[in-house]
Amino acid sequence: MWGHGSEFRKGPDSLKGTQPAAMLRLPCYCCAQGCKNNINHPRAKPLKDFRTLQTHYKRKHGAKPFMCRKCSKTFAVKGDWRTHEKNCGKLWYCTCGSDFKHKRSLKDHIRSFGKGHSPHPSLEGFEEIEKECITGSEDEFAH
């Protein structure tokens, strides 16, 4: 898991507890055999830090106790579940008639096709989307 000592840390219990700040910033490998982030994988790719490793392990190898009340999809990370449930079943429409499952997809569509394409007026907060599509948001530039 940590770059030096993965052979000593095994299983999901090794992810529990707090670690010194310096340890949290070390590149980390997953302890699950067969995982592409495992140190023994032919093309092993470390995760950037311990917190990223914890989230990776939960998402890929852990239990999924959170379930969407609309579609029954399960999640290991509470934040993923909340985001999904908030938008589950929602569609974002363009004035051209296209529909999208994600707000981001609609924004990309409008940016790609430009003139004549905008969020459908029936969408709540569509002015905000339109403004972001024209000017871009700081959040988009960070990714």
Side-chain angles (χ1 to χ4, degrees):
M1 298 205 342
W2 286 313
H4 301 283
S6 61
E7 67 273 25
F8 301 110
R9 298 184 53 82
K10 306 282 184 201
D13 290 337
S14 66
L15 295 176
K16 293 180 180 165
T18 58
Q19 303 298 328
M23 294 297 264
L24 291 175
R25 288 189 292 273
L26 286 175
C28 300
Y29 290 91
C30 183
C31 61
Q33 294 300 316
C35 180
K36 69 177 182 175
N37 299 106
N38 183 286
I39 199 162
N40 296 322
H41 190 277
R43 291 185 299 253
K45 186 177 174 189
L47 295 145
K48 70 177 188 169
D49 58 28
F50 189 70
R51 292 197 201 294
T52 305
L53 171 63
Q54 286 177 308
T55 304
H56 159 82
Y57 194 89
K58 284 180 188 177
R59 283 182 178 138
K60 301 295 182 184
H61 312 293
K64 296 183 176 185
F66 305 103
M67 184 170 37
C68 177
R69 291 175 283 218
K70 297 176 187 173
C71 71
S72 300
K73 184 174 180 176
T74 57
F75 296 89
V77 179
K78 196 172 192 175
D80 294 348
W81 165 67
R82 282 185 178 155
T83 301
H84 168 85
E85 200 166 75
K86 184 174 79 173
N87 296 303
C88 183
K90 187 173 185 177
L91 290 176
W92 298 86
Y93 295 96
C94 178
T95 52
C96 74
S98 299
D99 60 74
F100 303 89
K101 286 186 177 181
H102 304 283
K103 178 180 174 181
R104 177 70 205 201
S105 300
L106 173 60
K107 288 167 60 174
D108 290 345
H109 169 80
I110 293 167
R111 184 172 280 119
S112 296
F113 293 99
K115 202 169 196 173
H117 294 266
S118 61
H120 195 274
S122 66
L123 290 176
E124 280 184 36
F126 77 94
E127 296 90 357
E128 176 189 318
I129 299 169
E130 203 165 57
K131 182 181 157 202
E132 287 177 8
C133 290
I134 295 167
T135 61
S137 66
E138 290 179 23
D139 185 47
E140 290 173 346
F141 298 113
H143 298 291

